[in-house]
Amino acid sequence: MDPSSLDAEALAAELRRIVRGEVRFDDGSRALYATDASNYRQVPIGIVIPRDADDAVAAVAVARQFGAPLLPRGGGTSLAGQCCNVAVVLDFSKYVNRLLEFDPEHRRATVQPGLVLDELRDAAERHHLTFAPDPSTHNHCTLGGMIGNNSCGVHSVMGGNTVDNVEELEILTYDGLRMRVSATSDEELAQIIRVGGRRGEIYAALRTLRDRYADAIRMRYPKLERRVSGFNLDQLLPENGFHVARALVGTEGTCVTVLEATTRLVYSPPARSLLVLGYPDVEAAGHRVTDVMAHAPLAVEGLDDRLVDGMRRKGMHTDDLALLPAGGAWLFVEFGGETKAEADGRAHEVREALARLANPPDMRVFEDPKLARTAWLIRQSAPRAAARMPGQRDCYDGWEDTAVPPEVLGDYLRELRTLFDRYDYSAGIYGHFAQGCIHTRIDFDLKSDVGVAQFRRFVEEAADLVVTYGGSLSGEHGDGQARGELLSRMFGEELVGAFREFKTIWDPEGRMNPGKVVDSYRLDENLRLLPGRAAREAFVPRPHFAYVEDEGSFAMAMERCIGIGECRKLRGGVMCPSYMVTLEEQHSTRGRARMLFEMLQQGPVRGGWHSDAVKDALDLCLACKGCKTGCPASVDMATYKAEFLAHYYEGRRRPRAAYALGMIMRWSRLAARMPALVNIVTQTPVLSRLAKLIAGVAPERRLPAYAAEPFVNWLRRRPRREEAPTRGRVVLWPDTFNNYFHPETARAALDVLEDAGFEVVVPAQPVCCGRPLYDYGLLDLAKRMLRDVLHTLHPYLVAGVTVVVLEPSCLAVFRDELLGLMPADADARRLSEQAVLLGEFLAKHAPDVALPQLVGKALVHVHCHQQSLAGTASESAALARLGLEVQVLDAGCCGMAGAFGFEAEHYDVSMQIGERALLPAVRAAASDTLVVADGFSCREQISQATTRRPLHLAEVIQRAKQRARHDATLRAGN
């Protein structure tokens, strides 16, 4: 059946009637699933999110009734186009995601397809076990997706690919057969065929296929650990136990739906050590891989100088790159042991052995686990460095996943480089060199007809090159659409016919993920970036932000997201807090980016800049900025959200909260004239409820009380300090929150800076960075306020005076939005460079100032804007200088996020985010542990949801000083 003739409305209605899970056929949901992490785009018919396996069975039955194609999908991070299709998508990641059984004694685990890999690995590591394949997406890829793709990863050296680690599958065919498959003895096979039925029919057909093609399989399948291309028909051979489950691994959803899997676990050495080798170039590194593999490492990863140069250009790990030994390419070699001494000993033994070879590499052993993690981060950042380099053409997948025998890797890399040069392509190279698997992103031109034609010619020639070396078109990512039509070059027409027969045995009607792997779409159709971008540009109004890194183009910025899905991770880091608690694709950075991209495509998303579907997708974006630094492609969703809302609300009335909370700086200036009266309104129960209703604030929230006297008013009547400054001037920025609500923080900071010997200048007139305005798209007003800020600070900026900022959100405006709105303004550039947080200031300008000592512990929550744009090091260092034992929480965003957590419609999500890590940690902290949080919203979330009053860094230092003065007074009295 042609999907275009399908009655999608009737199909959706029947699915909603039968399925207990979620059925989504709206345009917005279809847009979210229109692409994966590849170059391809196909808008699905609809989405089904089943509650459990039985729900999935019911959904498939309805699809069969209507003849609808099906696409079972995991994390949607596939790079070959196998996770997008004109089909009904089954997304298991939200609900069908449990670890069902864990058996450390027999080294087995039973999982549902939506389980994220790291959930299994974390459970296994408690018993020094692991699931050996660990792709770079391990913190968000699902086991079902790994089974579909036959995933590998850094440590597949330890235990093979996914196919080697699957023992049994529970599967569902399109025609409704639900059964378990595994290895099958000859006796079991005969018995299954004798019993008959659909199961017997399938097994009989598989046996016939095996017998017909056994010789061709043995002859034409390359002898590679990383042969991921094609179907695993070799698993049906007698010598492999007629393993039906493993034969289905890597079929990319084209044959069956996986409902459950029993996996093998392998031993994971508890201690690790890293040896990094530097070679003159990547070809030399490839030539020496076999020397390294002779010593049985746990992993050998490669990286070339073009990617390291890309990191430098992007400012990634610039200081850390000095850790690398000299060279133009590097191998990262990991060793394991029962103890750290044993692992380090292995690394040193290999270092000594390699030193005895001719032309040995430059080498460094990283015994310190912290330094080893830093070095590994360099390798792990390779995909991000390869994506978009300043001043260079964009790079894409499309020929990113070949594998050759390791013994010929160096020669293959040399010829591959020659091929790049002949086509005038630039590409950095990295990958799993231990098994000859090479990853790269190439600067194909996929936006013009000429460029696409050249792309096709290159891929065909590159495929022939791989086959010449006895390699595989895919060493990890699968075939999908990117390599499906090329399989005959690798396997020959006979075996491609066998693949077709294998699919037909399982899926006679051809409804499972059609057009992928078998009878594939062409590699140059369904491309996401179709020629004709100029038409999309015409649809974009003049943007408010400059998008300097995207050539001033909002449309080009929308091409940044390449679908890696790091924003779908479940814990750790800042990104993406709303996804972590909702598990909804539309509430991930990737989902929002896709909605904006599809908006510019003008289909399936309707309404353009007034699209409610896009607004809904952006609604739970907390503007935490975690994606700006955490996303491999530096997607800046906080900026895109502000841009969209500015256009969405043109000619429209904004919600009440926009005027009440977005313009808090105006109301605060008025409230400062009569704070007692205002507090009666906001703090008295009846009046407070009315005020919150009018302002759109959640009734559960407590409105912050205004201080009796703002900081700047107090400063005017404060006597001048007698001690003369000795270290020069500094501007203390009186932000709205610490001026009107928490002046004690500003007074503490003033005390700290003056005690350090600085003359502190505070702007006399009211100033505000306007941070809340961005959350409502009030960009014209925000820009006017920034001009006022620059005018006020101009004499200090041109004099090079440092501006100390107490509120991390203000710093984020000065370092980020300010440059986005005024990229050519000299004072804007100066302020972005001269604005620092208090901790940064003390580290840079007063490292020699002795701070009094506090005995005890400090639990630190770092504001998400600070984590994203300034890091946590200065905060920790300042507290450590006080003598405190510091624990920095890896809790991500607090959930309050400025006005977000105050708004009635966001309260529940705000609290779920806070309860994910931050609030439980605060409640569990001992009563004498200091809770430290610099952000106003973070402090509000903590104080409103716990019994603790968090302190700003300035208050902690002031407390130490006051205690020291008190102790000195006592000593003097004695």
Side-chain angles (χ1 to χ4, degrees), residues 531-562:
R533 183 180 133 216
R536 298 204 303 276
E537 289 283 14
F539 178 58
V540 180
R542 182 178 179 85
H544 292 268
F545 290 96
Y547 304 103
V548 174
E549 295 182 354
D550 299 296
E551 300 178 13
S553 165
F554 182 83
M556 189 171 180
M558 292 310 98
E559 296 170 5
R560 276 187 173 273
C561 179
I562 53 179

Side-chain angles (χ1 to χ4, degrees), residues 423-443:
Y423 278 85
D424 192 28
Y425 286 148
S426 176
I429 287 175
Y430 62 104
H432 314 296
F433 281 30
Q435 295 171 316
C437 182
I438 299 303
H439 296 324
T440 182
R441 291 176 64 85
I442 304 170
D443 58 345

Side-chain angles (χ1 to χ4, degrees), residues 163-190:
V163 68
D164 304 305
N165 293 280
V166 167
E167 300 295 346
E168 182 180 83
L169 295 176
E170 182 183 5
I171 61 167
L172 175 68
T173 63
Y174 186 84
D175 55 17
L177 177 63
R178 182 177 181 177
M179 64 176 175
R180 293 185 177 273
V181 294
S182 58
T184 317
S185 68
D186 291 342
E187 295 78 10
E188 290 170 325
L189 178 58

Side-chain angles (χ1 to χ4, degrees), residues 29-36 40-44 84 594 598:
S29 295
R30 294 169 61 231
L32 289 170
Y33 290 80
T35 188
D36 46 17
Y40 301 101
R41 173 183 177 270
Q42 291 176 280
V43 180
C84 57
R594 284 181 176 163
E598 292 293 330

Side-chain angles (χ1 to χ4, degrees), residues 164 258 342 567 731 748:
D164 304 305
V258 174
E342 181 184 347
C567 48
V731 173

